[in-house]
Amino acid sequence: MDTRSSSNAALVLFSGGQDSATCLAWALSRYERVETIGFDYGQRHDVELTARQKVRAAMLDAFPDWADRLGEDRLVDLSGYGALAESALTADMEIVMTEAGLPSTFVPGRNLVFLTVAAALAYRRGVDVLVGGMCQTDYSGYPDCREDTIQTQAKALGLGLDRPTMVETPLMHLDKAQTWALAHELGRETLVNLIVEHSHTCYRGERGQRHDWGYGCDDCPACELRKTGWITWREGATGE
């Protein structure tokens, strides 16, 4: 069955993390032209911004069949927004659960802002499809990761731009073990190893500690999700 979209271009919201790296590979396997956009919103750890370029370069090197499909990358300065939406990701704050029942890493409205800015670029580039790594299965409870939030935003963008805007979220209903499995399906061990080595997920920006599942502090919520998913997937893949 042909899974290629009727639209031939997609813009991937690309942070350089495990999820967005998997989404980039997913998009490259389906669309003739793929561009990426990233956001500098005042993250405490700019290692995430470095990871973006390393993942892109490694993917081009490892998958030459995708090289002709991967186009421009844009990094957008949203530091003013990040300062307003202060969180443990943008300020020197402890990672704790807040009274609102959300971790202090929650950046209010982040995905809504990202999608709006990405849609503006997509409009100018003639791209109708946005691809994001949002997930409501294994996540930290952020309300702007939920499917109804994302698809409602897609409808609003379509109305505001007077042009249909599709937001593809291939990881929305996958847990982290299934996300690792999807990466393996798309690019076998080559892609999995690339994601392990070059992508960045850790909220604390730790790149000094190398684990089987990648670099990280092995303590923050993001590392916990990534590690648990890795172990579950590996145990299932090997039948242990």
Side-chain angles (χ1 to χ4, degrees):
M1 181 176 65
D2 185 8
T3 60
R4 195 179 304 280
S5 168
S6 58
S7 175
N8 68 354
L11 177 64
V12 179
L13 280 67
F14 185 58
S15 70
Q18 174 193 355
D19 292 346
S20 70
T22 304
C23 285
L24 178 56
W26 182 88
L28 287 167
S29 72
R30 283 162 172 76
Y31 294 94
E32 294 295 338
R33 177 165 61 96
V34 177
E35 299 183 11
T36 54
I37 184 171
F39 306 98
D40 180 352
Y41 58 97
Q43 300 96 312
R44 288 170 59 188
H45 310 293
D46 61 4
V47 63
E48 177 179 306
L49 304 180
T50 302
R52 296 180 69 254
Q53 297 307 320
K54 289 186 175 180
V55 170
R56 271 182 56 105
M59 204 166 288
L60 286 173
D61 183 60
F63 299 97
D65 290 346
W66 290 347
D68 291 340
R69 299 185 178 192
L70 185 56
E72 291 187 11
D73 175 59
R74 300 287 186 93
L75 181 63
V76 182
D77 183 355
L78 294 178
S79 53
Y81 156 70
L84 290 173
E86 185 180 66
S87 80
L89 294 186
T90 60
D92 188 13
M93 298 166 55
E94 187 179 358
I95 300 176
V96 297
M97 291 299 295
T98 67
E99 293 180 357
L102 293 169
S104 56
T105 51
F106 176 55
V107 183
R110 179 173 58 170
N111 284 332
L112 303 181
V113 172
F114 288 178
L115 286 169
T116 300
V117 175
L121 175 61
Y123 184 91
R124 293 301 182 195
R125 298 292 295 165
V127 177
D128 296 325
V129 179
L130 305 179
V131 179
M134 301 82 171
C135 169
Q136 67 177 29
T137 305
D138 269 354
Y139 74 132
S140 298
Y142 302 158
D144 61 346
C145 286
R146 299 178 302 200
E147 185 172 35
D148 57 353
T149 301
I150 301 303
Q151 294 310 319
T152 299
Q153 179 74 342
K155 182 177 180 179
L157 290 170
L159 290 170
L161 296 172
D162 197 24
R163 191 177 80 177
T165 301
M166 180 184 299
V167 180
E168 295 270 23
T169 53
L171 311 184
M172 181 58 72
H173 300 291
L174 305 185
D175 60 27
K176 279 293 183 288
Q178 292 169 320
T179 298
W180 283 114
L182 176 59
H184 189 264
E185 177 185 334
L186 291 167
R188 314 310 292 175
E189 287 295 319
T190 300
L191 182 59
V192 170
N193 292 336
L194 185 159
I195 291 172
V196 167
E197 190 62 33
H198 297 295
S199 71
H200 181 81
T201 302
C202 177
Y203 285 155
R204 294 193 171 93
E206 175 60 55
R207 293 296 291 182
Q209 299 182 51
R210 171 65 155 78
H211 311 275
D212 290 344
W213 42 269
Y215 292 88
C217 68
D218 196 20
D219 179 58
C220 72
C223 283
E224 286 291 331
L225 285 172
R226 179 166 169 155
K227 176 182 69 173
T228 301
W230 172 269
I231 292 171
T232 301
W233 171 60
R234 280 303 198 196
E235 288 180 348
T238 59
E240 295 177 1

